[in-house]
Amino acid sequence: MRYDLKSLLVFLAVCVVGPAGCSRNADAPAPPMSAGGERAASSEYVGSQRCGTCHARNYHSWRGTKHANMLAEPDNRSVVGDFSRAGVLDLPEGLAARMHEKDGRRFVSLEQGGRSREDQSVAYVLGGARRQMYVAVSREGKLCVPPVQWNVRDGRWSSPQGPDGATDDWLRDCAGCHVTGLGQAGAQGGGVKTWSEDAIGCEACHGPGARHANAKNPEKPDTIFNPGSVPEEARAAMVCGRCHTRGTSSDGRAYPPGVEPGGDFRHGFAEVKRDDARYFWPDGSSRANRQQYADFVTSTMYERGVKCWSCHNPHKASENNASSLRLTGNSLCRSCHPAGAGERTLTHAIHDNGNCRACHMPLTAGLASGGELASHRFQPVRPAATVELGSGDVDRQPNSCNACHYHGKQPPAVLEAYLQARVKRHYEAPAAQTARKNP
């Protein structure tokens, strides 16, 4: 058989560089396994630092956000919890946890009946603004989350608050919303791990960046996902909603796996129901963390086209502004809601001081000490809700007024009567008077 020169060169090229079976060493290790058991593909992720070579301002500011510091290796700067005093925390079912240090490493040792049951070595820290939890290595060699958390405000150890507690498999239950590129191979000391970046990085919201990084202008904009360019409110909100909602995937994970930014995470993911008392108060407000999306999609803001980044700047450092808001205090709300005609105060004449968030975004959800996270329904919870739905007990149904320290101990029924009187005096009476003058 005869070959011309062009055909011969093509044949040689295929044998040298592909397919994989021609050049791969049969004894070479397989790619690492990801959380779901699928093989980790060759990485299409480049990492936030690579993004920063062109987007330096956003990158350096992002490094000061909670997203950038959601997961970190343990060192003297990242660890907030006190492991130096060998503190002991009593846990349910006769268990106890002892937090201690040894040879420069931190451990959570589980004990029962005074006997050591398991020493779990801390591999990563989770968060650290309001609370800090830990990813440790179990005796089976799996990444787990011990049943302890450090409450930053109180400066003490406690059992995990709310529904996000301990797990014996962090990769399955949590990792998808704490790292970037889950299922991708990445360096981890002398071994491998199955994600590309220890943070909620640029590619967590913009998608894999290899094509974009290697593209030439003017093609670059078409090679990366930009959440701000999504015109549909529902799809835009899902970029953040993938991790800021609660539910279960069809394969049992607490996050929607395999959904890249811009995709609809609801396929194969069942969100928790609003009538589930573990996660929502009787009026429908969230009582647990990680439910901002569930609140937001019920709001008028969502219906009017407001997006998460209308208020939050995901690239903005969190100095003196833990939520990376574009503006602080009432100035953020007033940028879209200027004072209406006849309004005597910033708080609609209900009282003479206060702020928009305290009434319209009450702190109904708990994370560490309770009542730290704001409702994202953007509507006040009146004391009447506590009276009617909680039998007057704020522990069964909180409200905006009692959440203020000034009104904290006043009976909800008294506050509701006061509120109704103020509304009648400053709104209903002037409206009726205007109607009589202009029949």
Side-chain angles (χ1 to χ4, degrees), residues 88-122:
V88 176
L89 176 67
D90 291 328
L91 300 169
E93 301 179 3
L95 284 175
R98 183 168 59 91
M99 285 62 69
H100 60 101
E101 295 178 328
K102 182 180 179 181
D103 299 329
R105 299 169 63 193
R106 296 164 178 86
F107 293 86
V108 177
S109 295
L110 300 180
E111 303 172 350
Q112 191 163 33
R115 294 184 176 182
S116 177
R117 183 169 136 178
E118 181 176 359
D119 289 338
Q120 298 179 346
S121 174
V122 173

Side-chain angles (χ1 to χ4, degrees), residues 168-184:
D168 60 0
D169 193 339
W170 177 73
L171 283 172
R172 177 197 65 204
D173 294 335
C174 313
C177 289
H178 288 271
V179 303
T180 300
L182 185 64
Q184 301 290 321

Side-chain angles (χ1 to χ4, degrees), residues 90-435:
D90 291 328
L91 300 169
E93 301 179 3
L95 284 175
R98 183 168 59 91
M99 285 62 69
H100 60 101
E101 295 178 328
K102 182 180 179 181
D103 299 329
R105 299 169 63 193
R106 296 164 178 86
F107 293 86
V108 177
S109 295
L110 300 180
E111 303 172 350
Q112 191 163 33
R115 294 184 176 182
S116 177
R117 183 169 136 178
E118 181 176 359
D119 289 338
Q120 298 179 346
S121 174
V122 173
Y124 297 97
V125 300
L126 297 169
R130 296 182 179 92
R131 69 171 177 177
Q132 187 169 79
M133 298 180 72
Y134 303 90
V135 179
V137 180
S138 69
R139 60 186 171 193
E140 291 84 11
K142 296 173 66 175
L143 292 177
C144 64
V145 178
V148 300
Q149 72 176 34
W150 178 260
N151 296 332
V152 176
R153 180 191 299 173
D154 301 338
R156 64 180 180 87
W157 293 102
S158 77
S159 300
Q161 303 297 304
D164 293 328
T167 174
D168 60 0
D169 193 339
W170 177 73
L171 283 172
R172 177 197 65 204
D173 294 335
C174 313
C177 289
H178 288 271
V179 303
T180 300
L182 185 64
Q184 301 290 321
Q188 179 179 293
V192 295
K193 62 186 176 185
T194 54
W195 60 88
S196 65
E197 187 172 1
D198 294 349
I200 302 170
C202 305
E203 292 160 298
C205 301
H206 293 280
R211 282 188 61 219
H212 182 69
N214 297 321
K216 304 294 184 182
N217 283 323
E219 291 83 12
K220 272 187 176 291
D222 296 327
T223 59
I224 198 73
F225 176 73
N226 181 2
S229 66
V230 179
E232 184 194 359
E233 291 79 10
R235 192 60 58 84
M238 287 183 193
V239 176
C240 306
R242 291 176 302 148
C243 287
H244 289 272
T245 197
R246 186 176 297 280
T248 306
S249 68
S250 56
D251 59 356
R253 304 189 212 185
Y255 57 88
V259 180
E260 289 191 359
D264 191 331
F265 72 80
R266 297 171 298 184
H267 302 318
F269 186 79
E271 296 180 72
V272 294
K273 303 297 183 182
R274 195 163 288 275
D275 59 359
D276 192 327
R278 293 173 297 174
Y279 310 120
F280 297 96
W281 296 106
D283 77 319
S285 301
S286 286
R287 65 184 304 168
N289 66 308
R290 198 163 54 82
Q291 295 180 188
Q292 293 89 343
Y293 172 83
D295 280 353
F296 180 54
V297 295
T298 68
S299 70
T300 302
M301 299 286 193
Y302 174 79
E303 294 177 358
R304 299 286 175 85
V306 174
K307 298 177 175 64
C308 304
W309 48 88
S310 299
C311 299
H312 300 272
N313 182 348
H315 304 129
K316 183 178 180 180
S318 301
E319 294 181 17
N320 302 318
N321 179 3
S323 300
S324 296
L325 296 172
R326 295 189 178 276
L327 296 170
T328 56
N330 291 330
S331 58
L332 177 62
C333 303
R334 286 300 187 185
S335 65
C336 289
H337 303 280
E343 287 193 11
R344 298 172 57 185
T345 70
L346 284 174
T347 49
H348 318 297
I350 294 171
H351 44 65
D352 294 329
N353 56 69
N355 61 76
C356 306
R357 186 211 56 76
C359 293
H360 292 263
M361 301 182 68
L363 303 177
T364 62
L367 187 67
S369 303
E372 298 134 317
L373 301 180
S375 166
H376 278 65
R377 300 175 76 196
F378 301 102
Q379 60 184 31
V381 181
R382 293 177 62 138
T386 303
V387 175
E388 297 167 5
L389 302 175
S391 299
D393 186 350
V394 294
D395 290 331
R396 295 173 61 183
Q397 171 61 62
N399 67 76
S400 299
C401 299
N402 282 112
C404 172
H405 68 89
Y406 184 80
H407 297 297
K409 296 183 179 180
Q410 292 180 271
V414 173
L415 291 173
E416 178 63 27
Y418 172 80
L419 180 59
Q420 290 181 10
R422 297 288 285 188
V423 169
K424 183 175 182 179
R425 176 181 175 185
H426 289 280
Y427 288 96
E428 294 178 2
Q433 186 177 10
T434 301

